[in-house]
Amino acid sequence: MSPSSRTPSGATEASDTPSEADETPALATIGEFGLIERVTRDRVQPPATLLGPGDDAAVVAQPDGRAVACVDVLVEGVHFRLDWSAPEDVGRKAVAANLADVAAMGAVPTGLLVGLAAPRDTPVETLEGLATGMWTEAEVVGVGLVGGDVASSPTLVVSVTALGSLEGRAPVTRDGARPGDVVAVCGRIGWAAAGLAVLTRGFRAPGVLVDAHRVPTPPYAAGPAAAHAGATAMIDVSDGLLADLGHVAADSGVRIELRRDAFAVPDRLAEVAPALGVDPIDWMLTGGEDHALAATFPAGTTLPAGFVEVGAVVEGEGVVVDGEPYAGAPGWEHFT
Amino acid sequence: MSPSSRTPSGATEASDTPSEADETPALATIGEFGLIERVTRDRVQPPATLLGPGDDAAVVAQPDGRAVACVDVLVEGVHFRLDWSAPEDVGRKAVAANLADVAAMGAVPTGLLVGLAAPRDTPVETLEGLATGMWTEAEVVGVGLVGGDVASSPTLVVSVTALGSLEGRAPVTRDGARPGDVVAVCGRIGWAAAGLAVLTRGFRAPGVLVDAHRVPTPPYAAGPAAAHAGATAMIDVSDGLLADLGHVAADSGVRIELRRDAFAVPDRLAEVAPALGVDPIDWMLTGGEDHALAATFPAGTTLPAGFVEVGAVVEGEGVVVDGEPYAGAPGWEHFT
């Protein structure tokens, strides 16, 4: 990790003036290098990590001569709350959101870098938990945390960069959907929104939904599988299915028609929705943060395992549900 | 840029509830996508950018099958102050710090990604200035801003990821210095520290020093040149020469001996130092943020243009100046 604890301009840096150790040591007591040492110690890097943390930069294998690259920024109080999620969950979620973007290109991840801005009084335990969560999710797909940077900040901000390999394939972009294609989804949709709705109302159960909000489980392998199968466009569902398919429709210059009866409402959503006065289909159409993959395929394609057909691509623009513009809950205003 | 304006947990996202337009439009009035549109419009991507902003991820050419990757985090009030530096300068500095890390591996940059966390009321003008500065510095080395993410945050945080290509060479790490090597530096050292000292005392001149604090001018091409010439170790001077050579000494298991008389004090530093009661050599030995390159070479190497020999590598540990441990100003406590 790059030790860029540069001379601060008018403020002190995390490791400048260690405060006295107390029962819960804070970042300031161990400093940037102390933290880096703790979170990289005993971690095993996969073969793709040609040079890991500890130098000015890392080196990652990109066998086909290209790197897929994306970044996601999570802010405490905006994207996560440490009273609702354990640090491990936040770390997993930050990495998952980014690995899903790699998958949505049809790529497999090759490495992760972390930019962390944290208050000086952040408990070391919290930061170690964040790092543990990141490693846990990274290990799901066999990549390493190859580098990063730590800075002092009034607000806790986690910026994760993911690199990926297309394995010789063309990237699956958002602009390739063509009239006649089918639209299919792989992975959970609406679960995180339901979990958030539960938490917002002060409940902690059903645990499976709360967990879905805390830690998404994107279907990573479905991304390359969709690319293999000939997906014409793909996106990960981070803002909500309608919002994200809206990007595909706009970038591809097509209309996407979804059929409400194509969505099988999972029992868990069906059970809890009435108590919260919600139509579970709303969660499925507009809920973000599950990081499912939505893709279009030429008609007649044998869909890869896990993909469920939910609609079709036609001439026109926008996204409609059962032939009508969706007039549901807000939260997906990017889709207009 | 990945539009990951995901469902917020208990707070609103930048583009959820646009406030009324006023004379200085804020981020909240144009939202994430409005900002991305503004800062990517009319920008020309270089050939290495195989797929630029606008999809789940970017794709960057990495011709030798490897990617150098590093991240730097800058925080308002900690690493920069917008009353001391124009947004353009902050953007340039954020990118320069990162490109210098790529150079310090002996690599050439191939692409940049930006993770931006900004308050909803941040003037759009400020963010456009940041982006302009980033593009200005990127164009110095011919790379593009290939992607990024924007999030709402109480604090302005800029996280820049740089990718680079080793062009078939081995990376120049920090652990390769060997007894008998010479130590050489390329680029300004002490200038940014002098500029900061000037600003801290309420002055705005000499402009050349203040400018050096605001925007470093790392000798990017010297990195690959040093690698070509056979550099055994290299680091960019972000924390201060003694601190950063301390990393080289520690990682290489050697002692580095600097000679005070090898440092030619630039006129600008010599002129301003007495008025501030500083020995300019202190600035040169401990000042960070200029992002010079410090490297070690086998004895007898014809040093690449711009490198000046300042010392030697011997058996032992630590860094000494004229044979003695340096007992100067603080700010480089990583070097012990």
Side-chain angles (χ1 to χ4, degrees):
Chain A
M1 306 208 174
S2 169
S4 57
S5 54
R6 60 188 65 72
T7 313
S9 307
T12 49
E13 190 269 345
S15 54
D16 283 346
T17 51
S19 62
E20 307 215 351
D22 52 19
E23 289 179 27
T24 310
L27 175 56
T29 65
I30 63 167
E32 175 182 13
F33 295 118
L35 177 66
I36 292 172
E37 201 279 321
R38 285 190 188 216
V39 302
T40 57
R41 184 170 49 198
D42 299 333
R43 295 294 181 181
V44 178
Q45 294 284 346
T49 307
L50 304 178
L51 182 69
D55 219 292
D56 293 291
V59 183
V60 177
Q62 301 293 149
D64 75 357
R66 299 171 297 170
V68 166
C70 55
V71 60
D72 262 303
V73 178
L74 270 69
V75 180
E76 182 176 11
V78 178
H79 302 90
F80 62 88
R81 290 173 51 166
L82 287 173
D83 54 338
W84 282 0
S85 297
E88 288 77 4
D89 294 340
V90 175
R92 290 195 67 169
K93 188 172 186 167
V95 164
N98 230 359
L99 293 178
D101 282 325
V102 170
M105 303 303 288
V108 296
T110 53
L112 297 161
L113 295 99
V114 180
L116 178 71
R120 292 167 53 80
D121 61 358
T122 308
V124 171
E125 201 173 52
T126 299
L127 300 175
E128 287 184 321
L130 264 177
T132 296
M134 290 179 182
W135 273 104
T136 299
E137 195 67 17
E139 285 165 359
V140 169
V141 293
V143 293
L145 268 64
V146 303
D149 191 26
V150 181
S152 173
S153 164
T155 307
L156 180 58
V157 177
V158 183
S159 175
V160 178
T161 302
L163 303 179
S165 168
L166 289 162
E167 301 181 317
R169 295 180 297 271
V172 183
T173 53
R174 299 175 177 183
D175 61 0
R178 295 292 171 262
D181 286 353
V182 300
V183 180
V185 175
C186 181
R188 291 173 170 178
I189 49 175
W191 289 57
L196 178 61
V198 164
L199 284 168
T200 303
R201 285 160 179 79
F203 300 111
R204 300 269 169 164
V208 67
L209 296 180
V210 171
D211 288 348
H213 166 72
R214 289 180 175 143
V215 181
T217 53
Y220 301 121
H228 271 298
T232 52
M234 186 154 49
I235 192 167
D236 89 297
V237 183
S238 55
D239 293 346
L241 185 63
L242 292 174
D244 290 310
L245 285 178
H247 298 305
V248 173
D251 290 2
S252 298
V254 298
R255 181 186 191 91
I256 288 179
E257 297 185 333
L258 300 181
R259 298 186 314 274
R260 194 173 277 261
D261 66 7
F263 292 86
V265 178
D267 290 345
R268 288 301 194 170
L269 298 190
E271 287 160 18
V272 76
L276 298 177
V278 175
D279 180 344
I281 291 276
D282 284 340
W283 281 332
M284 299 180 73
L285 291 175
T286 67
E289 295 198 290
D290 287 302
H291 301 286
L293 294 176
T296 56
F297 297 89
T301 301
T302 300
L303 299 182
F307 276 93
V308 175
E309 187 177 332
V310 296
V313 180
V314 299
E315 303 270 0
E317 60 183 25
V319 182
V320 296
V321 181
D322 290 342
E324 303 285 338
Y326 180 80
W332 50 285
E333 81 293 344
H334 303 311
F335 166 69
T336 46
Chain B
M1 304 206 177
S2 168
S4 57
S5 55
R6 59 189 65 74
T7 311
S9 307
T12 50
E13 190 269 345
S15 54
D16 282 347
T17 53
S19 62
E20 306 215 350
D22 53 21
E23 288 178 27
T24 310
L27 175 56
T29 66
I30 63 167
E32 175 182 12
F33 295 119
L35 177 66
I36 291 172
E37 201 280 320
R38 286 190 188 214
V39 302
T40 58
R41 184 169 49 198
D42 298 333
R43 296 293 181 180
V44 178
Q45 294 283 347
T49 307
L50 304 178
L51 182 69
D55 220 292
D56 293 291
V59 183
V60 176
Q62 301 292 150
D64 76 356
R66 298 171 297 170
V68 166
C70 55
V71 60
D72 262 303
V73 179
L74 270 69
V75 180
E76 183 177 10
V78 178
H79 301 91
F80 63 88
R81 289 174 50 165
L82 287 172
D83 55 338
W84 281 0
S85 296
E88 289 77 5
D89 294 339
V90 175
R92 290 196 67 170
K93 188 171 185 166
V95 164
N98 230 358
L99 294 177
D101 281 325
V102 170
M105 303 302 289
V108 296
T110 53
L112 296 162
L113 295 97
V114 181
L116 179 71
R120 291 166 53 80
D121 61 359
T122 308
V124 171
E125 201 173 51
T126 299
L127 300 175
E128 288 184 320
L130 264 177
T132 297
M134 289 179 183
W135 273 103
T136 300
E137 195 67 17
E139 285 165 358
V140 169
V141 294
V143 292
L145 268 63
V146 303
D149 191 26
V150 182
S152 173
S153 165
T155 306
L156 180 58
V157 177
V158 183
S159 174
V160 179
T161 302
L163 302 179
S165 168
L166 289 162
E167 301 181 316
R169 293 182 297 271
V172 183
T173 54
R174 299 175 176 183
D175 60 359
R178 294 291 170 261
D181 287 353
V182 300
V183 180
V185 174
C186 181
R188 292 172 168 177
I189 49 175
W191 289 58
L196 178 61
V198 165
L199 284 168
T200 303
R201 284 159 180 79
F203 301 112
R204 299 271 170 162
V208 67
L209 296 181
V210 171
D211 288 349
H213 166 71
R214 289 179 176 144
V215 181
T217 53
Y220 301 120
H228 271 299
T232 51
M234 186 154 49
I235 192 167
D236 89 297
V237 183
S238 55
D239 293 346
L241 185 62
L242 292 176
D244 290 311
L245 285 178
H247 297 306
V248 173
D251 290 2
S252 298
V254 299
R255 180 183 191 93
I256 289 179
E257 297 186 332
L258 300 181
R259 297 187 313 274
R260 194 173 277 260
D261 66 7
F263 292 87
V265 178
D267 290 346
R268 288 301 194 171
L269 298 189
E271 286 160 19
V272 76
L276 298 176
V278 175
D279 180 344
I281 291 276
D282 283 340
W283 282 331
M284 299 180 73
L285 291 175
T286 66
E289 294 197 290
D290 287 301
H291 301 286
L293 294 176
T296 56
F297 298 89
T301 302
T302 300
L303 298 182
F307 275 93
V308 175
E309 187 177 333
V310 295
V313 180
V314 299
E315 303 270 359
E317 61 184 23
V319 182
V320 295
V321 181
D322 290 343
E324 303 286 338
Y326 181 79
W332 49 284
E333 81 292 344
H334 303 312
F335 164 68
T336 47

